[in-house]
C-alpha cells in the first residue's frame, strides 16, 4: 500500500516543475502555427493537420493553467486561458470548414469525372460551380448516385 509519509519531498518550486512542460507545449503550439501558415491555402490536408495540432497544444496549455492555477498568478492564468479557449474555438470552426471543403472537392471531382479536378478544365467559375454540368455543356446532366461499384 502506498504511504504518503514515505515520499521524498524535493525543494523544487511549482515554477521549476511547470516551466519545462509549458515550454514544450508552447514550442508545439509555435511549430503548429508555422506549419499552419506555410500550408494555408495550398494544402488542405496539411492545413487540417496543422489546425488539429494547434488546437491540441492550446487545449493542453489551457488545461495545465487550469489545473495549476492555485500555484500561478491567477489573473495571468485566467487571461491566457480565455485567449486559448477563443483560439481553440476559432480553430475548431476552421477545422470543420476545411473538412467540408475536402469532402466537397472530392465529391465534385467524382461528379465531373474520374481524373478531373475542379478548376483544371473550366475557366468559368459559373461552369465550375454547376455540379450537375460538364464543363462547356449547355444542358444539365441528371445527378447520379455513385455506390462505389
Amino acid at each position: 500500500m502506498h504511504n504518503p509519509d514515505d515520499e521524498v519531498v524535493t525543494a523544487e518550486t511549482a515554477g521549476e516543475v511547470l516551466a519545462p512542460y509549458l515550454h514544450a507545449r508552447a514550442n508545439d503550439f509555435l511549430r503548429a502555427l508555422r506549419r499552419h501558415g506555410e500550408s494555408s491555402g495550398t494544402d488542405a490536408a496539411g492545413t487540417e493537420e496543422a489546425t488539429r495540432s494547434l488546437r491540441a497544444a492550446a487545449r493542453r496549455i489551457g488545461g495545465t493553467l487550469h489545473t495549476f492555477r492555485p500555484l500561478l498568478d491567477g489573473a495571468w492564468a485566467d487571461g491566457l486561458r480565455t485567449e486559448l479557449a477563443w483560439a481553440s474555438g476559432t480553430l475548431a470552426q476552421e477545422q470543420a470548414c476545411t473538412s467540408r471543403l475536402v469532402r466537397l472537392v472530392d465529391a465534385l471531382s467524382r461528379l465531373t469525372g474520374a481524373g478531373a479536378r475542379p478548376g483544371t478544365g473550366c475557366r468559368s467559375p459559373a461552369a465550375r460551380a454547376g455540379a450537375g454540368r460538364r464543363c462547356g455543356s449547355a444542358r444539365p446532366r441528371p445527378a447520379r448516385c455513385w455506390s462505389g461499384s
Side-chain angles (χ1 to χ4, degrees):
M1 184 104 190
H2 178 71
N3 187 354
D5 296 333
D6 294 338
E7 290 183 14
V8 177
V9 177
T10 62
E12 292 181 311
T13 65
E16 292 170 341
V17 173
L18 287 176
Y21 180 78
L22 287 174
H23 280 274
R25 298 301 69 80
N27 284 336
D28 293 344
F29 185 86
L30 292 173
R31 274 191 220 101
L33 186 61
R34 181 179 48 87
R35 281 195 324 262
H36 186 270
E38 291 172 352
S39 65
S40 281
T42 59
D43 178 20
T47 301
E48 189 173 8
E49 180 59 33
T51 302
R52 186 176 294 116
S53 297
L54 271 170
R55 285 189 66 215
R59 286 192 318 267
R60 285 187 187 112
I61 293 169
T64 302
L65 294 175
H66 174 74
T67 301
F68 295 102
R69 185 183 186 279
L71 303 174
L72 302 167
D73 176 24
W76 173 80
D78 290 343
L80 188 55
R81 282 184 54 224
T82 301
E83 292 297 321
L84 289 169
W86 173 83
S88 182
T90 302
L91 290 166
Q93 291 174 352
E94 180 182 344
Q95 187 176 4
C97 288
T98 303
S99 222
R100 285 185 197 114
L101 175 65
V102 168
R103 288 194 317 265
L104 286 170
V105 167
D106 289 344
L108 187 57
S109 177
R110 286 191 308 269
L111 285 172
T112 58
R117 298 294 295 176
T120 58
C122 298
R123 294 191 191 276
S124 163
R128 284 195 305 260
R133 296 181 180 198
R134 282 209 181 270
C135 297
S137 173
R139 147 188 110 169
R141 284 187 316 176
R144 294 186 215 176
C145 294
W146 298 96
S147 63
S149 56

